[in-house]
């Protein structure tokens, strides 16, 4: 509907703001803004009703709190914004906590990859260059041993099959 268009505009603005906050070192604000913006695309049950059985399976998250259902609703521009936000968030966490945030940052990169792999809109993205820094970081984090190995073997295979 109409809400989606304004949502997309303000999300694009939020991506720019998060990037700017991050560059000027306002890291806490960056993280807050990113989490609020990401929540816009998540179909959380706001009614507080517990999902049971079948619904619970549908609510299993793919990465960063997004379910398959959330991902099915995204367009390519929205997917790209989500990926950008996850990259900025990983950087912001590193700025805030230094090396201690390495595993968190690695987790966000893996989430970004899983989201990209599982989101139907990824096939419609004209430009997937946003994925290069993510893949690049994941391979560094694999070598650094931050990412657990069963994830990593599959990831490395996926990376190579995608890009080489």
């Amino acid at each position: 509907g109409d809400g989606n268009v304004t949502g997309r505009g303000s999300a694009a603005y939020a991506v720019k703001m998060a990037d700017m906050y991050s560059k000027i070192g306002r890291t806490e604000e960056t993280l807050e803004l990113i989490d609020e913006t990401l929540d816009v695309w998540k179909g959380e049950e706001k009614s507080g009703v517990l999902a049971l059985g079948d619904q619970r399976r549908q609510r299993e998250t793919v990465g960063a709190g997004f379910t398959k259902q959330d991902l099915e609703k995204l367009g390519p521009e929205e997917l790209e914004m989500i990926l950008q936000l996850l990259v900025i968030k990983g950087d912001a966490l590193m700025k805030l906590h230094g090396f201690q945030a390495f595993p968190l940052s690695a987790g966000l990169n893996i989430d970004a990859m899983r989201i990209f792999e599982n989101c139907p809109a990824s096939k419609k993205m004209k430009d997937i260059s946003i994925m290069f820094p993510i893949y690049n970081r994941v391979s560094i984090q694999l070598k650094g041993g931050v990412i657990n190995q069963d994830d990593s073997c599959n990831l490395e295979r996926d990376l190579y099959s995608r890009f080489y």
Side-chain angles (χ1 to χ4, degrees):
D2 201 40
N4 206 359
V5 181
T6 52
R8 187 174 295 160
S10 54
Y13 178 70
V15 172
K16 287 194 183 76
M17 288 295 295
D19 197 34
M20 191 189 74
Y21 277 159
S22 180
K23 283 189 172 81
I24 61 173
R26 289 173 62 184
T27 315
E28 280 94 347
E29 286 101 324
T30 307
L31 292 168
E32 225 168 280
L33 180 63
I34 289 171
D35 288 338
E36 282 169 21
T37 309
L38 290 173
D39 285 347
V40 169
W41 289 293
K42 294 177 191 170
E44 290 302 325
E45 267 95 272
K46 289 182 178 71
S47 60
V49 177
L50 287 176
L52 300 168
D54 213 31
Q55 287 167 295
R56 188 181 298 129
R57 262 196 303 284
Q58 294 183 335
R59 297 225 48 83
E60 272 173 32
T61 62
V62 172
F66 286 92
T67 65
K68 275 204 177 340
Q69 277 66 20
D70 297 332
L71 298 180
E72 278 159 17
K73 290 182 275 213
L74 298 174
E77 300 85 1
E78 293 161 312
L79 173 60
E80 190 170 347
M81 286 189 268
I82 288 168
L83 297 170
Q84 287 171 322
L85 288 168
L86 292 172
V87 168
I88 299 168
K89 183 176 180 177
D91 291 348
L93 286 167
M94 293 290 284
K95 273 184 197 152
L96 200 58
H97 304 295
F99 193 71
Q100 287 173 297
F102 202 52
L104 278 175
S105 174
L108 286 169
N109 290 324
I110 292 202
D111 284 350
M113 283 178 53
R114 290 207 173 111
I115 287 167
F116 181 76
E117 302 291 344
N118 285 283
C119 182
S122 68
K123 291 169 188 59
K124 298 190 197 96
M125 280 172 76
K126 287 175 193 69
D127 174 15
I128 61 162
S129 61
I130 177 75
M131 291 309 294
F132 292 122
I134 292 170
Y135 285 132
N136 200 4
R137 286 159 196 216
V138 167
S139 60
I140 291 166
Q141 289 161 333
L142 285 175
K143 289 179 182 66
V146 189
I147 291 170
N148 107 32
Q149 240 8 68
D150 6 308
D151 283 347
S152 77
C153 295
N154 297 335
L155 284 173
E156 274 189 308
R157 264 202 305 277
D158 293 349
L159 293 186
Y160 284 113
S161 65
R162 241 177 206 279
F163 289 113
Y164 305 105

